[in-house]
Amino acid sequence: MSSVSIRNLDLSFGAVDVLKNLNLEIAEGEFLVLLGSSGCGKSTLLNCIAGLIDVSGGQIHISGRNVTWEEPSDRGIGMVFQSYALYPQMTVEGNLSFGLKNQRMPKDQIAQRVARAAEILQIEPLLKRKPGALSGGQRQRVAIGRALVREADVFLFDEPLSNLDAKLRTDLRVELKALHKQLKNTMIYVTHDQVEAMTLADRIAIMRDGKIQQLDTPSVIYGKPRNKYVADFIGSPSMNFFEGDLSAEAGSCVFEGPDFTLPLTSYEFETPQIGRRKAWLGLRPEHIVTGEAAAAADLSADTIVDIVEPMGSDTLVWVNFGGKPIRVRTDGQSDLEPGDTLRIGLQSARASIFDHQSEDRL
Amino acid sequence: MTTTSQDDARAARRPIRLFRNPMAKIASIPMILTALVVFVGGTAWTVVYSFTDSRLLPRLNFVGLDQYERLWSTRRWLISIENLAIYGICSLILTLLIGFTLAAMLDRKIRGEAVFRSIFLYPFALSFVVTGLAWQWILNPDFGLQEVVRRMGWEGFTFDPLNNPDIVMFGLLIAGLWQGTGLIMCIMLAGLRGIDEDIWKAAKVDGIGTVKTYVRIIIPMMRPVFITALVLIASGIIKLYDLVVAQTNGGPGIASEVPAKYVINYMFRAQNLGQGFAASTMMLVSVIIILVPWAYLEFGGKKRD
Amino acid sequence: MTDQSVIEPSGSKPSKRFSRGNIILYGTLIVVSMYYLLPLYVMIVTSLKGMPEIRLGNVFAPPIEITFEPWVRAWAEACTGINCDGLSRGFWNSVNILIPSVVLSIAIASVNGYALAHWKFKGSETFFTILIIGAFIPYQTMLYPIVILLREIGLMGDLAGLVLVHTVFGMPILTLLFRNYFTSIPEELFKAARVDGAGFWGIYFRIMLPMALPIFVVAIILQVTGIWNDFLFGVIYTKPETYPMTVQLNNIVNSVQGVKEYNVNMAATLLTGLVPLIIYFISGKLFVRGIAAGAVKG
């Protein structure tokens, strides 16, 4: 049985449709990340699940119960917010116990739960302090603790790490993953950061304009994006695209680009019947091989280096190919300079082909 | 499975909208009553009864525009309107001018800014009654300003606005400006403080003088502040009542009568309710004439952006 | 270039304290300050003089012989019509009007502001818009209907009636003040409290109220000065026995009977202005914030 089930969810504000006939099944203990750029409806969906926004249509079930019209506190959820949303006038202990007091839970039981959450999150020394006296990372720990004491079935995270600086964000990300492993709750996590999504998620739902574009494991989303939007969104630096024509000749398929032809000998088509049509070819910068490996690729070509961006761990090289500058990722010790000639190799096995019109994967 | 989902469906039927979050609605009842009963209801009631011949008690005997015809042929009303126009125009111009000048002076990074600001603003804490009585005393012809100047040697010096029908409105104006300019100065000062320091640096680099920078750059940038100030001053002018009652009580004769006083006299003293209602409706109309263009500039303009 | 910057401090030279421009600037400010201070000064010196000294003439001269008798007489003996028990009655009336009015108006308006900021419902914005427009409607158009309403509920002429009137007319600006403040409180805090199971009143009392103390101080300053200084509502909705201080003051000073005692009048005027003046000087910056917020009240 799934832990959270969203059925035909609609949400509109006036004439604006924010969520459109959205369906989503989340398994028990799953870590699901809702990923998308701002305004895609991911936070709104999370707020609907929490009961903080009234839906216009459809149903939300949590742990097998229809909670579409229940109060947020009755849904068996805990929630962590981007701005921490700690009650400034209460101590850390007060923040953790506020929800339990509202449930009229006996005092000794509250103390027990607070102590346990504080232990898990290692915030025991902070219990008597007020949020104002805490650092950003400590505040976010307390915010997670507030969800933890509720012993909820489902945890909702609304961009919980966005307000932290880069180093702390990485640390807390790892801690969150460990926490999930320990607690085994269902977690729904909203973010616009693809690194967080890729590292944390069991499955990622990529959203755009109130619709889920693709729902799959991180590796499938990265390797086999459903459409051009997903392909472009995931991956940094992002994918190179070429406009061209697909043609099937004597059983073998080729992509005819602006001034190259890539034989798609090892490309796995989703649809078996591919006629001649306009299409997009997508190649990730890290999937373009250079040097000796290029010779063994489906297509190899000499290109002129335009710009070199050393990034430490690897080097991003802009070369001219197919009539435009494209990104190629090479190793960090590259001594390439603008004007040099670089041999690159394109492999059909790791490419993505999208229909030109629908932009869906072929 | 099927039975539970049916139960679920019943339990989770969409609640009636009116009863969702009922506390918020119950708590808003005083606001709703005030808005609908007092503000909308009260105003509409007065407008409707201004077309009746109500005298001591309100009654629904409609007489068309009779009350308005009588109003506009009453000398006292015409004087009230004329007085308000004189007072209003002078007050509007002088308050803006003094308020802005004072604010600009305080904005020149001077010492003791807080002291000067406190001095300019404290009269605003005082009521119009206190203001009116204080200035009535200062302008007293036998003991006040006029007498002091005469004793200093200018025997012929005459400044007795409170007993001279021609200039009585200026006597009120002196007191009104004293009470109200501090507020406008405060608003202007806040506006000036909101202007980016870099504007001044840029003007300096371009070699533009201080006064020219104010006139050409700063004032146009402060348009919204000026509009707010304008609305504040204007709505204050129309309500002008307490000051007149305290300082001159409409005298000498009826030389310093104002519309608000006319309304209250007819409603509560002369027991001619219809006249009072018609006069107050005219006040409402004048507010609408002032506010509609402002609302259009303020809110209509925003939508276009 | 580099040598010069070592010798001279960078940035613009500090302007000389007594440049010509500065003398004009400070000179003007001091002269203008005198205009603003003059009435207060005249009131104080007049209230400390005896009547013979006043008849001698100069309102600006400091008192030769300081006497507090006018203050005592203003407080305890000044006459309005046949009553000669001084301003003290008006003072206590004003206190009796002030306290419940301030409490009730702020209680209602803060709940309004909270509901408008966090519990929007269909029509709530419309009612708010009407409320704000209401702040600009001349009071004169609503005066008589309120007389009828108060008569209907039996509070005409009663202090409770005036309290209601102050609550109603204070509502637009206070509601705006509180709505803007509560809107500035992060919505996530409100959401977190809802997830924690707090309801409308729970969130108001436990979360919002403790965070809103500064704005409550601003609202109190605004209402105390506004209600204390009110004249119009006091004169219309109360009876002579329950007249607030401003109305009684006006009746004492502008009374046509008897000899004018200017010193007593000025002492009475100062007494009436004392409450808002004290609030002004204690509250300082908060007062500025309060009036800037309440300025639309006009």
Side-chain angles (χ1 to χ4, degrees), chain C residues 35-277:
Chain C
Y35 162 68
Y36 283 95
L37 285 174
L38 182 82
L40 188 63
Y41 169 78
V42 168
M43 280 192 279
I44 292 171
V45 294
T46 306
S47 74
L48 297 174
K49 290 176 188 170
M51 267 319 280
E53 197 184 329
I54 289 175
R55 282 197 202 91
L56 279 176
N58 191 338
V59 280
F60 302 120
I64 303 162
E65 217 177 308
I66 290 179
T67 167
F68 291 100
E69 202 215 329
W71 285 73
V72 177
R73 295 201 34 170
W75 177 254
E77 292 166 32
C79 296
T80 44
I82 41 166
N83 281 322
C84 282
D85 47 5
L87 256 184
S88 55
R89 190 158 47 87
F91 175 82
W92 291 115
N93 283 341
S94 274
V95 170
N96 288 336
I97 294 162
L98 184 73
I99 292 169
S101 301
V102 170
V103 172
L104 189 67
S105 62
I106 291 180
I108 289 179
S110 64
V111 173
N112 286 347
Y114 161 67
L116 286 166
H118 291 298
W119 296 85
K120 288 199 183 77
F121 52 89
K122 203 167 188 243
S124 62
E125 287 298 301
T126 312
F127 294 125
F128 177 63
T129 310
I130 295 173
L131 212 59
I132 296 303
I133 294 172
F136 290 101
I137 301 175
Y139 297 143
Q140 280 73 14
T141 48
M142 294 179 266
L143 287 179
Y144 203 85
I146 291 174
V147 169
I148 295 174
L149 285 173
L150 288 179
R151 239 181 238 144
E152 287 297 314
I153 52 176
L155 293 177
M156 184 61 200
D158 202 282
L159 283 187
L162 187 56
V163 168
L164 271 185
V165 171
H166 280 306
T167 305
V168 160
F169 284 107
M171 205 183 285
I173 181 59
L174 289 181
T175 301
L176 177 73
L177 191 72
F178 280 105
R179 189 194 80 127
N180 289 353
Y181 188 82
F182 286 127
T183 308
S184 76
I185 289 180
E187 207 192 345
E188 291 196 336
L189 206 61
F190 168 77
K191 288 178 174 177
R194 283 197 67 192
V195 173
D196 270 341
F200 183 85
W201 295 112
I203 297 174
Y204 175 75
F205 283 110
R206 307 280 297 282
I207 311 291
M208 297 293 170
L209 212 60
M211 291 181 72
L213 289 180
I215 205 70
F216 271 92
V217 175
V218 169
I220 289 170
I221 293 168
L222 195 67
Q223 283 301 84
V224 170
T225 48
I227 293 169
W228 191 272
N229 287 341
D230 162 67
F231 177 80
L232 180 63
F233 300 140
V235 87
I236 287 173
Y237 297 114
T238 54
K239 306 177 285 231
E241 308 89 72
T242 50
Y243 273 160
M245 203 170 183
T246 46
V247 179
Q248 207 194 354
L249 169 73
N250 185 55
N251 289 351
I252 289 173
V253 176
N254 283 328
S255 137
V256 280
Q257 292 151 344
V259 187
K260 286 230 175 198
E261 294 181 291
Y262 297 110
N263 52 354
V264 176
N265 288 351
M266 281 304 112
T269 308
L270 274 173
L271 275 171
T272 311
L274 219 49
V275 168
L277 270 187

Side-chain angles (χ1 to χ4, degrees), chain B residues 92-288:
Chain B
L92 208 61
I93 294 168
L94 290 174
T95 309
L96 283 177
L97 199 70
I98 297 170
F100 181 80
T101 311
L102 290 180
M105 286 200 281
L106 290 191
D107 198 38
R108 302 306 303 171
K109 296 195 180 77
I110 57 154
R111 278 155 201 278
E113 182 205 316
V115 175
F116 284 118
R117 202 188 50 214
S118 301
I119 291 172
F120 299 152
L121 186 58
Y122 88 90
F124 189 74
L126 295 170
S127 60
F128 277 121
V129 175
V130 169
T131 304
L133 296 177
W135 280 95
Q136 186 191 58
W137 172 233
I138 293 171
L139 298 176
N140 183 308
D142 300 327
F143 305 104
L145 193 65
Q146 175 178 285
E147 182 63 17
V148 171
V149 175
R150 278 184 188 175
R151 285 196 196 179
M152 281 161 74
W154 289 279
E155 294 287 339
F157 179 81
T158 317
F159 185 65
D160 184 13
L162 301 190
N163 295 308
N164 180 345
D166 295 334
I167 56 168
V168 64
M169 288 317 290
F170 297 100
L172 288 167
L173 189 65
I174 292 173
L177 289 177
W178 177 78
Q179 203 263 358
T181 39
L183 168 74
I184 299 304
M185 175 211 70
C186 248
I187 289 170
M188 295 283 184
L189 190 57
L192 284 170
R193 292 280 148 86
I195 284 174
D196 196 341
E197 280 272 321
D198 290 348
I199 298 283
W200 278 105
K201 289 180 191 158
K204 220 165 215 172
V205 170
D206 289 344
I208 303 169
T210 308
V211 175
K212 203 171 174 190
T213 307
Y214 273 120
V215 175
R216 286 289 187 75
I217 301 166
I218 304 296
I219 292 177
M221 283 179 78
M222 282 176 54
R223 207 192 71 119
V225 179
F226 271 88
I227 289 175
T228 308
L230 211 70
V231 171
L232 288 182
I233 302 168
S235 66
I237 289 167
I238 286 170
K239 287 171 183 167
L240 180 67
Y241 171 73
D242 313 10
L243 184 68
V244 177
V245 170
Q247 202 177 342
T248 66
N249 201 18
I254 55 169
S256 62
E257 287 288 335
V258 285
K261 192 162 173 290
Y262 184 94
V263 170
I264 286 160
N265 276 344
Y266 274 91
M267 268 190 206
F268 298 100
R269 310 270 180 272
Q271 293 169 344
N272 189 344
L273 287 175
Q275 267 299 289
F277 296 151
S280 60
T281 304
M282 288 317 301
M283 289 178 69
L284 177 68
V285 169
S286 59
V287 168
I288 291 170

